[in-house]
């Protein structure tokens, strides 16, 4: 075992297997099962996309970001224009204003995380990616924790930002937490150091890894010592084969037809 792997095991120990067992056993629909269906266009991160995944018995991956007051909404982009009838940044709006915004193509309103959890109701596991592009993660993390209070289904949070995992470890250690990783543009020595540093800061229960990086020594060594690995975003049969070898479950995006 290399020195870096020994340090990984010492500083960021693997979770008890039972704690993370639910992550395995079903694939995850990336932002729900979305695309074009016989009923029209189903948008990502919409109630219809989540219903479609639930009907297949597949897990759900969704994104959340914060309104001006920190309230967690299920939405991927920082800007509103691609997916809604409005423009501007979601983070600049009050929660009550976001509640009134229509998703395109008749897909309803932007859901609050709590509403999505009520919809899923433990029928399938859900991975909640917390979108944060700055150091101020507390308000959104707190909103996610509050949304999860009393939720009895299988759920986990994850983020590229190691500060998110660190926040949940300190303030809500019972919630499963994952570190999202990509090696894109950082396969050099500096990038390898950064991955280990992020792992040590996050102390995650699992990794969510970029499918384009496989095979990856970093992912393989951490998986071998007990961290489950889910991989995103699987879109082709070749990527499915890679995921089957190098990860425990895929987060896939294969649109409805």
């Amino acid at each position: 075992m290399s020195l870096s792997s020994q340090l990984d095991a010492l500083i960021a120990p693997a979770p008890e297997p039972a704690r993370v067992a639910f992550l395995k056993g079903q694939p995850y629909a990336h932002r729900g099962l979305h695309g074009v269906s016989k009923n029209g266009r189903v948008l990502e991160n919409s109630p219809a996309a989540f219903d479609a995944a639930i009907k297949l018995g597949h897990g759900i991956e969704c994104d959340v970001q914060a309104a001006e007051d920190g309230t967690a909404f299920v939405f991927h982009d920082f800007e509103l224009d691609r997916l809604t009838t409005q423009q501007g940044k979601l983070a600049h709006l009050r929660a009550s204003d976001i509640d009134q915004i229509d998703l395109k193509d008749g897909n309803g309103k932007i859901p609050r995380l709590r509403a999505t959890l009520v919809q899923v109701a433990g029928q399938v596991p859900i991975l909640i990616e917390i979108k944060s592009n700055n150091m101020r993660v507390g308000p959104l993390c707190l909103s996610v924790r509050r949304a999860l209070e009393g939720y009895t289904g299988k759920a986990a949070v994850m983020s590229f930002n190691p500060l998110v995992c660190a926040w949940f470890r300190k303030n809500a250690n019972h919630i499963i937490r994952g570190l999202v990783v990509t090696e894109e543009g950082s396969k050099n020595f500096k990038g390898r150091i950064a991955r280990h540093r992020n792992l040590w800061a996050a102390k995650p229960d699992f990794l969510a890894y970029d499918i384009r990086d496989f095979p990856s020594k970093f992912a393989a060594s951490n998986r071998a010592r007990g961290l489950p690995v889910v991989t995103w975003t699987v879109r082709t049969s070749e990527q499915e084969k890679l995921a089957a070898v190098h990860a425990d479950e895929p987060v896939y995006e294969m649109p409805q037809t």
Side-chain angles (χ1 to χ4, degrees), residues 28 127 207-214 229-234 239-240 242-244 246-252:
Y28 295 85
L127 304 178
L207 298 178
Y209 227 88
D210 191 336
I211 186 68
R212 297 170 295 179
D213 294 330
F214 290 145
V229 174
V230 299
T231 183
W232 53 273
T233 303
V234 175
Q239 289 177 337
E240 281 188 287
L242 272 177
H246 298 290
D248 295 293
E249 292 296 342
V251 178
Y252 72 91

Side-chain angles (χ1 to χ4, degrees), residues 14-23 154-155 168-169 172-177 203-205 228:
E16 290 295 325
R19 176 175 167 88
V20 291
F22 76 89
L23 294 170
K154 301 299 185 183
F168 277 92
R169 176 173 52 84
N173 192 49
H174 62 287
I175 296 174
I176 311 304
R177 57 192 182 270
K203 296 179 174 56
D205 295 306

Side-chain angles (χ1 to χ4, degrees), residues 106-246:
N107 280 270
K109 307 291 186 181
I110 301 175
R112 294 189 182 208
L113 176 58
R114 186 60 192 168
T116 295
L117 293 171
V118 169
Q119 177 188 2
V120 176
Q123 296 172 83
V124 297
I126 183 168
L127 304 178
I128 303 164
E129 183 180 346
I130 296 175
K131 310 296 286 188
S132 174
N133 60 358
N134 57 49
M135 302 284 285
R136 188 172 177 263
V137 302
L140 179 54
C141 290
L142 180 59
S143 180
V144 172
R145 189 189 76 179
R146 287 173 173 167
L148 285 166
E149 287 176 359
Y151 186 69
T152 58
K154 301 299 185 183
V157 299
M158 61 186 192
S159 182
F160 282 100
N161 190 337
L163 296 177
V164 168
C165 281
W167 189 96
F168 277 92
R169 176 173 52 84
K170 179 180 179 180
N171 299 287
N173 192 49
H174 62 287
I175 296 174
I176 311 304
R177 57 192 182 270
L179 180 66
V180 185
V181 182
T182 183
E183 298 179 13
E184 185 178 15
S186 62
K187 291 184 179 292
N188 53 21
F189 177 76
K190 183 178 179 181
R192 291 194 295 272
I193 294 299
R195 280 187 284 282
H196 288 286
R197 185 180 65 243
N198 288 344
L199 181 80
W200 302 343
K203 296 179 174 56
D205 295 306
F206 69 99
L207 298 178
Y209 227 88
D210 191 336
I211 186 68
R212 297 170 295 179
D213 294 330
F214 290 145
S216 163
K217 291 182 179 179
F218 182 81
S221 66
N222 282 290
R223 187 184 182 205
R225 69 182 184 87
L227 265 69
V229 174
V230 299
T231 183
W232 53 273
T233 303
V234 175
R235 294 185 172 95
T236 68
S237 58
E238 289 76 15
Q239 289 177 337
E240 281 188 287
K241 293 174 184 176
L242 272 177
V245 173
H246 298 290

Side-chain angles (χ1 to χ4, degrees), residues 48-118:
F50 299 146
D51 274 339
I54 292 168
K55 287 177 182 177
L56 290 178
H58 291 183
I60 289 167
E61 183 269 352
C62 70
D63 307 282
V64 298
Q65 57 173 297
E68 187 180 53
D69 65 354
T71 301
F73 281 83
V74 179
F75 199 76
H76 175 269
D77 298 358
F78 292 110
E79 300 284 343
L80 293 164
D81 58 300
R82 182 173 70 92
L83 296 167
T84 81
T85 57
Q86 304 294 317
Q87 294 184 337
K89 294 184 181 295
L90 182 143
H92 292 172
L93 298 175
R94 296 173 299 181
S96 58
D97 293 328
I98 297 171
D99 286 333
Q100 306 305 313
I101 296 175
D102 290 311
L103 293 168
K104 290 180 178 177
D105 300 314
N107 280 270
K109 307 291 186 181
I110 301 175
R112 294 189 182 208
L113 176 58
R114 186 60 192 168
T116 295
L117 293 171
V118 169

